[in-house]
Amino acid sequence: MPKKLKVAVAQAHTLANNSETLCALKNTTREASEAGIHLILFPEAYLSGYPRTCTFGAAVGARNARGREQFLQYFHSAVDLGDTPAGGGDDWVERRLPVAKGKTYRGDGIREELEIIARETGVFVITGLVERSGGSLYCAVLYICPRLGCVGKRRKVMPTGSERLIWAQGSPSTLRAITTTIAGVGLTLAAAICWENYMPLLRHSLYSQNVNLYLAPTADAKDTWLPLMRTVAAEGRTVVLSANQCIKRKSLPWWVRGEPPKAMDGEEITTDKHTSTARLRRKSTITKTEDDHEITWPPADTRSSKPGVSTGMAADGLNHVNKPRSARDVISGDDVQYRKPQSTTRRLSVSTNMDEHHESKWPLADNQSQLEGAFKTRSSPSPSQDDGGEEFVSRGGSCIIGAMGEVLAGPLWDVEHGGLLVAEVDFEDCERGRLDLDVAGSYSRNDAFKLNVEGLDLSPPP
C-alpha cells in the first residue's frame, strides 16, 4: 500500500507584528486543512521576521546609535518560547523547566498559540521564527504536532554573513531528527536552515539519522537555490520542502525602511541619523567633500557653545565628535582626510539619512504630503529611489522536490500573498531510491570515513 501524504509549503511573508503574522499563519493552515494537507512548512524567520537590507548601523570596528535602536525594535519583536540560552532540550519540550510564580507557562504564549492552531486544524506545522532567550536572538524552527503539541525545536548553528551580528549560534545538539506518524505514514523529519544546506557535514548529520522528510526554510531567493535542493533530495534520497518569503520593500518593518516622523504644524522636522527620532532643527550650513558627500554644520556660535555636537563625517561613514574648528581645519577620519571647503548658508530644511549614513537635505515641505514625498529616499540600498516600495527584496522561489531529485512543485516566484505549493508524495520513493544510493549506509564507506557531532546522536531516532 503506497505511503502517500499531501504536503505543502507556504510562501508567506512576515506582517507588521507577531499577532498579525500568527493570524495569517492560522488562516493559511486552515486553508491547508480544508484542502486535505497533512503537513505544512513556513519560511525561515517567519515569526518576528527576516530584517532584509537592514545594516543595524554596523561597520568593521564601529556601531552607531541608530543601529542599536533598530536592534532594540528587532529584539522586542522576537518570540519568547521560554527556553534557556543553552537550550533546555527535552526538558523544554516536555515542559519540565520551572515556571514563574503566578504563571501557567514559560515565555510569551506563542508556543501555546501555535499548538492550538495545529490541534484545531489537524495539520502538522513547521515554522521558522526568531527566538529571544536571555540577551540573545536565535534563528529557530519549531515542529508542532496536532496531537502532541510542540515535539521539537532547533536553532540555526551557523548564521550567514551579517546574520552573525544579530543571531547567536545554536547548539548542534538541536539537529536531532523528529519521528512522527501521520495518516499511517512514518516520518523522520529534520530541518537545515537556509545556508546550513551548503554545509556538507551538517547535511550528512541529517542523512545519518535516516530522514525521509528534509525541511529547508530559507531566505535565499537566488536561482542557485533550486539546484541545491534537487541535489539534497537526490543525495539523501529524501523528500525536500523549501519555503521562502516573497516580499516587497514597502512591506519591510518601518524601522528597516527608515520612515520619517510625522510633521507638526509649522515645525521643521529632522530625522536623527542614528535613532530616527524627531527633533527641531535650526538653520545650518552645508559643505561638500571631495567625493561629493554633503556635511551639515551648525552655525558658528552653536559649535563654539556646544563642543559635543558632531560636526564631521569620517571615511568610515560614522559620525565622530569634533571640537570647534575653523574653515581651514581638516576633518580627519581613520584613513582619509577631507579639507573643509567654504560654507554657505542653508535655509530651513528636512534632513534624512542616506544609504551610507550621509545626511541628505530637503527643502521644508508646505504640507505633510510633501514632507512624506521628501522621505522617499531610503535608508537601505535600492536600484530605484522612486518605485513606491514595489521592488521585490525577495522573490520567493519556494519548492517541493521528490526523493529522486525531481521537481514536484515550484519554484514559485513573485507571489507575495497566498502562495501555497502542494504535492502528494509517496514516501516509499525514499526507500526505492536506496537501491543504488544510501550516503549514510551502503554508499558511505563508514569503515574509513566517520562523522562525529558534539552533543548529537547520529543514529536514526526510534
Side-chain angles (χ1 to χ4, degrees), residues 53 55 57-59 64 66 273-274 291-295 312-319 338 352-360 377-382 385:
T53 76
T55 66
N64 67 25
R66 181 184 182 187
K273 300 179 200 180
H274 304 305
D291 293 332
D292 202 35
H293 298 142
E294 290 187 346
I295 300 177
M313 187 79 68
D316 59 6
L318 303 176
N319 283 326
Y338 296 129
T352 187
N353 189 49
M354 297 290 284
D355 293 349
E356 291 81 19
H357 303 286
H358 304 136
E359 192 175 72
S360 178
T377 301
R378 300 180 185 86
S379 60
S380 303
S382 171
Q385 295 292 341

PDB file of all heavy atoms in Angstrom, residues 53 55 57-59 64 66 273-274 291-295 312-319 338 352-360 377-382 385:
ATOM      1  N   THR A  53      17.978  43.798   4.237  1.00  0.00           N
ATOM      2  CA  THR A  53      18.542  45.110   3.862  1.00  0.00           C
ATOM      3  C   THR A  53      18.948  45.957   5.064  1.00  0.00           C
ATOM      4  O   THR A  53      19.572  46.997   4.884  1.00  0.00           O
ATOM      5  CB  THR A  53      17.605  45.960   2.972  1.00  0.00           C
ATOM      6  OG1 THR A  53      16.543  46.526   3.765  1.00  0.00           O
ATOM      7  CG2 THR A  53      17.032  45.167   1.806  1.00  0.00           C
ATOM      8  N   THR A  55      21.148  47.289   8.005  1.00  0.00           N
ATOM      9  CA  THR A  55      22.572  47.226   8.352  1.00  0.00           C
ATOM     10  C   THR A  55      22.817  47.226   9.846  1.00  0.00           C
ATOM     11  O   THR A  55      23.916  46.936  10.293  1.00  0.00           O
ATOM     12  CB  THR A  55      23.318  48.425   7.751  1.00  0.00           C
ATOM     13  OG1 THR A  55      22.847  49.633   8.372  1.00  0.00           O
ATOM     14  CG2 THR A  55      23.113  48.510   6.235  1.00  0.00           C
ATOM     15  N   GLY A  57      23.409  49.620  11.565  1.00  0.00           N
ATOM     16  CA  GLY A  57      24.411  50.644  11.847  1.00  0.00           C
ATOM     17  C   GLY A  57      25.808  50.119  12.069  1.00  0.00           C
ATOM     18  O   GLY A  57      26.586  50.718  12.814  1.00  0.00           O
ATOM     19  N   ALA A  58      26.158  49.020  11.430  1.00  0.00           N
ATOM     20  CA  ALA A  58      27.430  48.366  11.726  1.00  0.00           C
ATOM     21  C   ALA A  58      28.426  48.490  10.587  1.00  0.00           C
ATOM     22  O   ALA A  58      28.078  48.392   9.406  1.00  0.00           O
ATOM     23  CB  ALA A  58      27.202  46.897  12.038  1.00  0.00           C
ATOM     24  N   ALA A  59      29.661  48.746  10.956  1.00  0.00           N
ATOM     25  CA  ALA A  59      30.803  48.660  10.056  1.00  0.00           C
ATOM     26  C   ALA A  59      31.908  47.964  10.833  1.00  0.00           C
ATOM     27  O   ALA A  59      31.816  47.808  12.052  1.00  0.00           O
ATOM     28  CB  ALA A  59      31.253  50.049   9.606  1.00  0.00           C
ATOM     29  N   ASN A  64      26.713  52.218  15.388  1.00  0.00           N
ATOM     30  CA  ASN A  64      26.184  53.536  15.738  1.00  0.00           C
ATOM     31  C   ASN A  64      24.866  53.417  16.489  1.00  0.00           C
ATOM     32  O   ASN A  64      24.258  52.348  16.585  1.00  0.00           O
ATOM     33  CB  ASN A  64      26.057  54.440  14.505  1.00  0.00           C
ATOM     34  CG  ASN A  64      25.006  53.962  13.507  1.00  0.00           C
ATOM     35  OD1 ASN A  64      24.046  53.265  13.854  1.00  0.00           O
ATOM     36  ND2 ASN A  64      25.186  54.332  12.245  1.00  0.00           N
ATOM     37  N   ARG A  66      21.859  54.617  15.888  1.00  0.00           N
ATOM     38  CA  ARG A  66      20.657  54.287  15.122  1.00  0.00           C
ATOM     39  C   ARG A  66      20.521  52.778  14.950  1.00  0.00           C
ATOM     40  O   ARG A  66      19.438  52.209  15.064  1.00  0.00           O
ATOM     41  CB  ARG A  66      20.695  54.961  13.760  1.00  0.00           C
ATOM     42  CG  ARG A  66      19.451  54.649  12.940  1.00  0.00           C
ATOM     43  CD  ARG A  66      19.520  55.234  11.558  1.00  0.00           C
ATOM     44  NE  ARG A  66      18.296  54.947  10.824  1.00  0.00           N
ATOM     45  CZ  ARG A  66      18.112  55.211   9.556  1.00  0.00           C
ATOM     46  NH1 ARG A  66      19.067  55.797   8.866  1.00  0.00           N
ATOM     47  NH2 ARG A  66      16.984  54.917   8.956  1.00  0.00           N
ATOM     48  N   LYS A 273      20.199  60.851  12.533  1.00  0.00           N
ATOM     49  CA  LYS A 273      20.862  59.875  11.689  1.00  0.00           C
ATOM     50  C   LYS A 273      20.929  58.500  12.338  1.00  0.00           C
ATOM     51  O   LYS A 273      20.943  57.484  11.668  1.00  0.00           O
ATOM     52  CB  LYS A 273      22.296  60.299  11.396  1.00  0.00           C
ATOM     53  CG  LYS A 273      22.460  61.595  10.687  1.00  0.00           C
ATOM     54  CD  LYS A 273      23.937  61.815  10.534  1.00  0.00           C
ATOM     55  CE  LYS A 273      24.256  63.270  10.290  1.00  0.00           C
ATOM     56  NZ  LYS A 273      25.680  63.470  10.148  1.00  0.00           N
ATOM     57  N   HIS A 274      21.001  58.481  13.668  1.00  0.00           N
ATOM     58  CA  HIS A 274      21.242  57.221  14.350  1.00  0.00           C
ATOM     59  C   HIS A 274      19.960  56.574  14.852  1.00  0.00           C
ATOM     60  O   HIS A 274      19.768  55.374  14.728  1.00  0.00           O
ATOM     61  CB  HIS A 274      22.178  57.453  15.533  1.00  0.00           C
ATOM     62  CG  HIS A 274      23.476  58.099  15.135  1.00  0.00           C
ATOM     63  ND1 HIS A 274      24.286  57.561  14.177  1.00  0.00           N
ATOM     64  CD2 HIS A 274      24.083  59.233  15.554  1.00  0.00           C
ATOM     65  CE1 HIS A 274      25.359  58.320  14.025  1.00  0.00           C
ATOM     66  NE2 HIS A 274      25.245  59.346  14.854  1.00  0.00           N
ATOM     67  N   ASP A 291      34.410  63.861  -2.409  1.00  0.00           N
ATOM     68  CA  ASP A 291      33.619  62.789  -3.004  1.00  0.00           C
ATOM     69  C   ASP A 291      32.168  63.171  -3.185  1.00  0.00           C
ATOM     70  O   ASP A 291      31.309  62.315  -3.378  1.00  0.00           O
ATOM     71  CB  ASP A 291      33.701  61.529  -2.133  1.00  0.00           C
ATOM     72  CG  ASP A 291      35.097  60.943  -2.129  1.00  0.00           C
ATOM     73  OD1 ASP A 291      35.803  61.141  -3.123  1.00  0.00           O
ATOM     74  OD2 ASP A 291      35.460  60.298  -1.134  1.00  0.00           O
ATOM     75  N   ASP A 292      31.874  64.464  -3.073  1.00  0.00           N
ATOM     76  CA  ASP A 292      30.534  64.995  -3.305  1.00  0.00           C
ATOM     77  C   ASP A 292      29.532  64.543  -2.237  1.00  0.00           C
ATOM     78  O   ASP A 292      28.342  64.481  -2.472  1.00  0.00           O
ATOM     79  CB  ASP A 292      30.005  64.587  -4.687  1.00  0.00           C
ATOM     80  CG  ASP A 292      28.898  65.541  -5.164  1.00  0.00           C
ATOM     81  OD1 ASP A 292      29.002  66.741  -4.843  1.00  0.00           O
ATOM     82  OD2 ASP A 292      27.966  65.077  -5.823  1.00  0.00           O
ATOM     83  N   HIS A 293      30.017  64.233  -1.028  1.00  0.00           N
ATOM     84  CA  HIS A 293      29.142  63.954   0.089  1.00  0.00           C
ATOM     85  C   HIS A 293      28.887  65.246   0.847  1.00  0.00           C
ATOM     86  O   HIS A 293      29.804  66.043   1.054  1.00  0.00           O
ATOM     87  CB  HIS A 293      29.750  62.920   1.037  1.00  0.00           C
ATOM     88  CG  HIS A 293      29.980  61.596   0.386  1.00  0.00           C
ATOM     89  ND1 HIS A 293      31.069  60.798   0.642  1.00  0.00           N
ATOM     90  CD2 HIS A 293      29.238  60.922  -0.529  1.00  0.00           C
ATOM     91  CE1 HIS A 293      31.003  59.704  -0.054  1.00  0.00           C
ATOM     92  NE2 HIS A 293      29.907  59.750  -0.786  1.00  0.00           N
ATOM     93  N   GLU A 294      27.647  65.457   1.280  1.00  0.00           N
ATOM     94  CA  GLU A 294      27.308  66.674   1.996  1.00  0.00           C
ATOM     95  C   GLU A 294      27.559  66.515   3.487  1.00  0.00           C
ATOM     96  O   GLU A 294      27.256  65.484   4.076  1.00  0.00           O
ATOM     97  CB  GLU A 294      25.837  67.033   1.765  1.00  0.00           C
ATOM     98  CG  GLU A 294      25.549  67.507   0.345  1.00  0.00           C
ATOM     99  CD  GLU A 294      24.127  68.023   0.204  1.00  0.00           C
ATOM    100  OE1 GLU A 294      23.328  67.755   1.112  1.00  0.00           O
ATOM    101  OE2 GLU A 294      23.838  68.702  -0.786  1.00  0.00           O
ATOM    102  N   ILE A 295      28.108  67.565   4.097  1.00  0.00           N
ATOM    103  CA  ILE A 295      28.290  67.640   5.545  1.00  0.00           C
ATOM    104  C   ILE A 295      27.575  68.875   6.043  1.00  0.00           C
ATOM    105  O   ILE A 295      27.774  69.975   5.531  1.00  0.00           O
ATOM    106  CB  ILE A 295      29.779  67.703   5.942  1.00  0.00           C
ATOM    107  CG1 ILE A 295      30.507  66.446   5.439  1.00  0.00           C
ATOM    108  CG2 ILE A 295      29.916  67.846   7.457  1.00  0.00           C
ATOM    109  CD1 ILE A 295      31.981  66.464   5.732  1.00  0.00           C
ATOM    110  N   GLY A 312      31.416  66.343  11.886  1.00  0.00           N
ATOM    111  CA  GLY A 312      32.094  65.821  10.715  1.00  0.00           C
ATOM    112  C   GLY A 312      31.738  64.385  10.453  1.00  0.00           C
ATOM    113  O   GLY A 312      31.234  63.681  11.314  1.00  0.00           O
ATOM    114  N   MET A 313      32.007  63.907   9.243  1.00  0.00           N
ATOM    115  CA  MET A 313      31.747  62.538   8.839  1.00  0.00           C
ATOM    116  C   MET A 313      33.070  61.939   8.411  1.00  0.00           C
ATOM    117  O   MET A 313      33.704  62.425   7.489  1.00  0.00           O
ATOM    118  CB  MET A 313      30.762  62.512   7.679  1.00  0.00           C
ATOM    119  CG  MET A 313      30.310  61.130   7.310  1.00  0.00           C
ATOM    120  SD  MET A 313      29.048  60.516   8.424  1.00  0.00           S
ATOM    121  CE  MET A 313      27.697  61.603   7.983  1.00  0.00           C
ATOM    122  N   ALA A 314      33.515  60.910   9.117  1.00  0.00           N
ATOM    123  CA  ALA A 314      34.783  60.293   8.781  1.00  0.00           C
ATOM    124  C   ALA A 314      34.613  59.331   7.627  1.00  0.00           C
ATOM    125  O   ALA A 314      33.512  59.018   7.208  1.00  0.00           O
ATOM    126  CB  ALA A 314      35.344  59.553  10.002  1.00  0.00           C
ATOM    127  N   ALA A 315      35.747  58.828   7.160  1.00  0.00           N
ATOM    128  CA  ALA A 315      35.706  57.968   5.980  1.00  0.00           C
ATOM    129  C   ALA A 315      34.976  56.660   6.225  1.00  0.00           C
ATOM    130  O   ALA A 315      34.547  56.002   5.297  1.00  0.00           O
ATOM    131  CB  ALA A 315      37.146  57.669   5.522  1.00  0.00           C
ATOM    132  N   ASP A 316      34.840  56.257   7.513  1.00  0.00           N
ATOM    133  CA  ASP A 316      34.139  55.007   7.776  1.00  0.00           C
ATOM    134  C   ASP A 316      32.631  55.170   7.737  1.00  0.00           C
ATOM    135  O   ASP A 316      31.897  54.224   7.982  1.00  0.00           O
ATOM    136  CB  ASP A 316      34.560  54.418   9.128  1.00  0.00           C
ATOM    137  CG  ASP A 316      34.283  55.359  10.290  1.00  0.00           C
ATOM    138  OD1 ASP A 316      33.665  56.417  10.085  1.00  0.00           O
ATOM    139  OD2 ASP A 316      34.692  55.012  11.402  1.00  0.00           O
ATOM    140  N   GLY A 317      32.121  56.398   7.441  1.00  0.00           N
ATOM    141  CA  GLY A 317      30.693  56.609   7.310  1.00  0.00           C
ATOM    142  C   GLY A 317      29.992  56.855   8.624  1.00  0.00           C
ATOM    143  O   GLY A 317      28.787  56.985   8.669  1.00  0.00           O
ATOM    144  N   LEU A 318      30.738  56.968   9.738  1.00  0.00           N
ATOM    145  CA  LEU A 318      30.124  57.178  11.033  1.00  0.00           C
ATOM    146  C   LEU A 318      30.528  58.536  11.588  1.00  0.00           C
ATOM    147  O   LEU A 318      31.595  59.068  11.280  1.00  0.00           O
ATOM    148  CB  LEU A 318      30.555  56.074  12.018  1.00  0.00           C
ATOM    149  CG  LEU A 318      30.235  54.659  11.552  1.00  0.00           C
ATOM    150  CD1 LEU A 318      30.795  53.651  12.551  1.00  0.00           C
ATOM    151  CD2 LEU A 318      28.737  54.482  11.424  1.00  0.00           C
ATOM    152  N   ASN A 319      29.687  59.117  12.419  1.00  0.00           N
ATOM    153  CA  ASN A 319      29.971  60.422  12.985  1.00  0.00           C
ATOM    154  C   ASN A 319      31.066  60.345  14.028  1.00  0.00           C
ATOM    155  O   ASN A 319      31.136  59.421  14.826  1.00  0.00           O
ATOM    156  CB  ASN A 319      28.705  61.000  13.629  1.00  0.00           C
ATOM    157  CG  ASN A 319      27.747  61.525  12.606  1.00  0.00           C
ATOM    158  OD1 ASN A 319      28.164  62.035  11.588  1.00  0.00           O
ATOM    159  ND2 ASN A 319      26.452  61.381  12.868  1.00  0.00           N
ATOM    160  N   TYR A 338      39.633  65.074   4.772  1.00  0.00           N
ATOM    161  CA  TYR A 338      38.888  65.999   3.941  1.00  0.00           C
ATOM    162  C   TYR A 338      39.182  67.416   4.424  1.00  0.00           C
ATOM    163  O   TYR A 338      39.148  67.680   5.625  1.00  0.00           O
ATOM    164  CB  TYR A 338      37.377  65.763   4.052  1.00  0.00           C
ATOM    165  CG  TYR A 338      36.915  64.430   3.560  1.00  0.00           C
ATOM    166  CD1 TYR A 338      36.098  63.617   4.347  1.00  0.00           C
ATOM    167  CD2 TYR A 338      37.288  63.972   2.294  1.00  0.00           C
ATOM    168  CE1 TYR A 338      35.667  62.397   3.892  1.00  0.00           C
ATOM    169  CE2 TYR A 338      36.852  62.742   1.843  1.00  0.00           C
ATOM    170  CZ  TYR A 338      36.055  61.968   2.631  1.00  0.00           C
ATOM    171  OH  TYR A 338      35.623  60.745   2.186  1.00  0.00           O
ATOM    172  N   THR A 352      17.278  63.760   6.188  1.00  0.00           N
ATOM    173  CA  THR A 352      17.070  62.314   6.286  1.00  0.00           C
ATOM    174  C   THR A 352      18.382  61.607   6.027  1.00  0.00           C
ATOM    175  O   THR A 352      19.321  62.182   5.471  1.00  0.00           O
ATOM    176  CB  THR A 352      16.002  61.837   5.283  1.00  0.00           C
ATOM    177  OG1 THR A 352      15.725  60.459   5.519  1.00  0.00           O
ATOM    178  CG2 THR A 352      16.469  61.999   3.851  1.00  0.00           C
ATOM    179  N   ASN A 353      18.462  60.350   6.422  1.00  0.00           N
ATOM    180  CA  ASN A 353      19.687  59.585   6.336  1.00  0.00           C
ATOM    181  C   ASN A 353      19.780  58.857   5.002  1.00  0.00           C
ATOM    182  O   ASN A 353      18.825  58.263   4.546  1.00  0.00           O
ATOM    183  CB  ASN A 353      19.736  58.573   7.483  1.00  0.00           C
ATOM    184  CG  ASN A 353      21.071  57.892   7.572  1.00  0.00           C
ATOM    185  OD1 ASN A 353      22.095  58.556   7.566  1.00  0.00           O
ATOM    186  ND2 ASN A 353      21.057  56.581   7.677  1.00  0.00           N
ATOM    187  N   MET A 354      20.953  58.901   4.368  1.00  0.00           N
ATOM    188  CA  MET A 354      21.175  58.216   3.105  1.00  0.00           C
ATOM    189  C   MET A 354      21.759  56.832   3.380  1.00  0.00           C
ATOM    190  O   MET A 354      21.993  56.438   4.516  1.00  0.00           O
ATOM    191  CB  MET A 354      22.127  59.039   2.226  1.00  0.00           C
ATOM    192  CG  MET A 354      21.540  60.399   1.843  1.00  0.00           C
ATOM    193  SD  MET A 354      20.170  60.251   0.676  1.00  0.00           S
ATOM    194  CE  MET A 354      21.086  59.912  -0.823  1.00  0.00           C
ATOM    195  N   ASP A 355      22.063  56.096   2.294  1.00  0.00           N
ATOM    196  CA  ASP A 355      22.459  54.709   2.405  1.00  0.00           C
ATOM    197  C   ASP A 355      23.689  54.504   3.285  1.00  0.00           C
ATOM    198  O   ASP A 355      23.750  53.599   4.078  1.00  0.00           O
ATOM    199  CB  ASP A 355      22.762  54.126   1.016  1.00  0.00           C
ATOM    200  CG  ASP A 355      21.503  54.047   0.179  1.00  0.00           C
ATOM    201  OD1 ASP A 355      20.416  54.241   0.747  1.00  0.00           O
ATOM    202  OD2 ASP A 355      21.626  53.807  -1.021  1.00  0.00           O
ATOM    203  N   GLU A 356      24.724  55.339   3.116  1.00  0.00           N
ATOM    204  CA  GLU A 356      25.976  55.146   3.838  1.00  0.00           C
ATOM    205  C   GLU A 356      26.091  56.095   5.013  1.00  0.00           C
ATOM    206  O   GLU A 356      27.158  56.568   5.354  1.00  0.00           O
ATOM    207  CB  GLU A 356      27.179  55.327   2.904  1.00  0.00           C
ATOM    208  CG  GLU A 356      27.323  54.217   1.874  1.00  0.00           C
ATOM    209  CD  GLU A 356      26.401  54.416   0.683  1.00  0.00           C
ATOM    210  OE1 GLU A 356      25.936  55.555   0.481  1.00  0.00           O
ATOM    211  OE2 GLU A 356      26.141  53.437  -0.030  1.00  0.00           O
ATOM    212  N   HIS A 357      24.952  56.431   5.639  1.00  0.00           N
ATOM    213  CA  HIS A 357      24.901  57.293   6.811  1.00  0.00           C
ATOM    214  C   HIS A 357      25.263  58.739   6.488  1.00  0.00           C
ATOM    215  O   HIS A 357      25.645  59.494   7.360  1.00  0.00           O
ATOM    216  CB  HIS A 357      25.832  56.771   7.919  1.00  0.00           C
ATOM    217  CG  HIS A 357      25.533  55.370   8.327  1.00  0.00           C
ATOM    218  ND1 HIS A 357      24.440  55.030   9.099  1.00  0.00           N
ATOM    219  CD2 HIS A 357      26.153  54.194   8.031  1.00  0.00           C
ATOM    220  CE1 HIS A 357      24.430  53.730   9.290  1.00  0.00           C
ATOM    221  NE2 HIS A 357      25.447  53.205   8.637  1.00  0.00           N
ATOM    222  N   HIS A 358      25.166  59.146   5.219  1.00  0.00           N
ATOM    223  CA  HIS A 358      25.352  60.540   4.866  1.00  0.00           C
ATOM    224  C   HIS A 358      24.014  61.246   4.970  1.00  0.00           C
ATOM    225  O   HIS A 358      22.974  60.682   4.670  1.00  0.00           O
ATOM    226  CB  HIS A 358      25.915  60.663   3.438  1.00  0.00           C
ATOM    227  CG  HIS A 358      27.191  59.921   3.242  1.00  0.00           C
ATOM    228  ND1 HIS A 358      27.436  59.147   2.138  1.00  0.00           N
ATOM    229  CD2 HIS A 358      28.272  59.787   4.042  1.00  0.00           C
ATOM    230  CE1 HIS A 358      28.624  58.594   2.236  1.00  0.00           C
ATOM    231  NE2 HIS A 358      29.159  58.960   3.388  1.00  0.00           N
ATOM    232  N   GLU A 359      24.042  62.481   5.379  1.00  0.00           N
ATOM    233  CA  GLU A 359      22.798  63.207   5.580  1.00  0.00           C
ATOM    234  C   GLU A 359      22.405  63.949   4.311  1.00  0.00           C
ATOM    235  O   GLU A 359      23.223  64.602   3.679  1.00  0.00           O
ATOM    236  CB  GLU A 359      22.986  64.202   6.740  1.00  0.00           C
ATOM    237  CG  GLU A 359      21.678  64.796   7.214  1.00  0.00           C
ATOM    238  CD  GLU A 359      21.890  65.685   8.434  1.00  0.00           C
ATOM    239  OE1 GLU A 359      22.448  66.789   8.241  1.00  0.00           O
ATOM    240  OE2 GLU A 359      21.521  65.290   9.539  1.00  0.00           O
ATOM    241  N   SER A 360      21.149  63.795   3.912  1.00  0.00           N
ATOM    242  CA  SER A 360      20.631  64.478   2.735  1.00  0.00           C
ATOM    243  C   SER A 360      19.665  65.567   3.184  1.00  0.00           C
ATOM    244  O   SER A 360      18.880  65.376   4.112  1.00  0.00           O
ATOM    245  CB  SER A 360      19.897  63.482   1.825  1.00  0.00           C
ATOM    246  OG  SER A 360      19.362  64.133   0.718  1.00  0.00           O
ATOM    247  N   THR A 377      13.656  58.846  -0.225  1.00  0.00           N
ATOM    248  CA  THR A 377      14.997  58.300  -0.175  1.00  0.00           C
ATOM    249  C   THR A 377      15.058  57.292   0.941  1.00  0.00           C
ATOM    250  O   THR A 377      14.694  57.573   2.055  1.00  0.00           O
ATOM    251  CB  THR A 377      16.023  59.422   0.074  1.00  0.00           C
ATOM    252  OG1 THR A 377      15.909  60.364  -0.982  1.00  0.00           O
ATOM    253  CG2 THR A 377      17.432  58.858   0.112  1.00  0.00           C
ATOM    254  N   ARG A 378      15.563  56.094   0.658  1.00  0.00           N
ATOM    255  CA  ARG A 378      15.512  55.011   1.617  1.00  0.00           C
ATOM    256  C   ARG A 378      16.805  54.911   2.403  1.00  0.00           C
ATOM    257  O   ARG A 378      17.856  55.333   1.966  1.00  0.00           O
ATOM    258  CB  ARG A 378      15.271  53.676   0.899  1.00  0.00           C
ATOM    259  CG  ARG A 378      13.972  53.671   0.133  1.00  0.00           C
ATOM    260  CD  ARG A 378      13.792  52.317  -0.543  1.00  0.00           C
ATOM    261  NE  ARG A 378      12.631  52.331  -1.363  1.00  0.00           N
ATOM    262  CZ  ARG A 378      12.637  52.762  -2.612  1.00  0.00           C
ATOM    263  NH1 ARG A 378      13.739  53.214  -3.138  1.00  0.00           N
ATOM    264  NH2 ARG A 378      11.533  52.762  -3.326  1.00  0.00           N
ATOM    265  N   SER A 379      16.692  54.288   3.559  1.00  0.00           N
ATOM    266  CA  SER A 379      17.868  54.035   4.367  1.00  0.00           C
ATOM    267  C   SER A 379      18.577  52.756   3.943  1.00  0.00           C
ATOM    268  O   SER A 379      19.619  52.438   4.454  1.00  0.00           O
ATOM    269  CB  SER A 379      17.478  53.913   5.842  1.00  0.00           C
ATOM    270  OG  SER A 379      16.573  52.853   6.021  1.00  0.00           O
ATOM    271  N   SER A 380      18.011  52.000   3.023  1.00  0.00           N
ATOM    272  CA  SER A 380      18.610  50.764   2.552  1.00  0.00           C
ATOM    273  C   SER A 380      18.867  50.865   1.060  1.00  0.00           C
ATOM    274  O   SER A 380      18.166  51.576   0.344  1.00  0.00           O
ATOM    275  CB  SER A 380      17.675  49.584   2.828  1.00  0.00           C
ATOM    276  OG  SER A 380      17.376  49.511   4.202  1.00  0.00           O
ATOM    277  N   PRO A 381      19.887  50.140   0.561  1.00  0.00           N
ATOM    278  CA  PRO A 381      20.218  50.243  -0.856  1.00  0.00           C
ATOM    279  C   PRO A 381      19.055  49.833  -1.740  1.00  0.00           C
ATOM    280  O   PRO A 381      18.312  48.906  -1.424  1.00  0.00           O
ATOM    281  CB  PRO A 381      21.390  49.263  -0.993  1.00  0.00           C
ATOM    282  CG  PRO A 381      21.938  49.114   0.391  1.00  0.00           C
ATOM    283  CD  PRO A 381      20.775  49.275   1.300  1.00  0.00           C
ATOM    284  N   SER A 382      18.911  50.510  -2.847  1.00  0.00           N
ATOM    285  CA  SER A 382      17.866  50.172  -3.801  1.00  0.00           C
ATOM    286  C   SER A 382      18.271  50.672  -5.179  1.00  0.00           C
ATOM    287  O   SER A 382      18.804  51.760  -5.315  1.00  0.00           O
ATOM    288  CB  SER A 382      16.539  50.825  -3.391  1.00  0.00           C
ATOM    289  OG  SER A 382      15.587  50.675  -4.416  1.00  0.00           O
ATOM    290  N   GLN A 385      14.946  54.760  -6.583  1.00  0.00           N
ATOM    291  CA  GLN A 385      14.565  55.541  -5.419  1.00  0.00           C
ATOM    292  C   GLN A 385      13.137  56.031  -5.497  1.00  0.00           C
ATOM    293  O   GLN A 385      12.676  56.711  -4.593  1.00  0.00           O
ATOM    294  CB  GLN A 385      15.520  56.747  -5.290  1.00  0.00           C
ATOM    295  CG  GLN A 385      16.961  56.367  -5.005  1.00  0.00           C
ATOM    296  CD  GLN A 385      17.139  55.763  -3.626  1.00  0.00           C
ATOM    297  OE1 GLN A 385      16.288  55.940  -2.757  1.00  0.00           O
ATOM    298  NE2 GLN A 385      18.208  55.037  -3.424  1.00  0.00           N
TER     299      GLN A 385
END
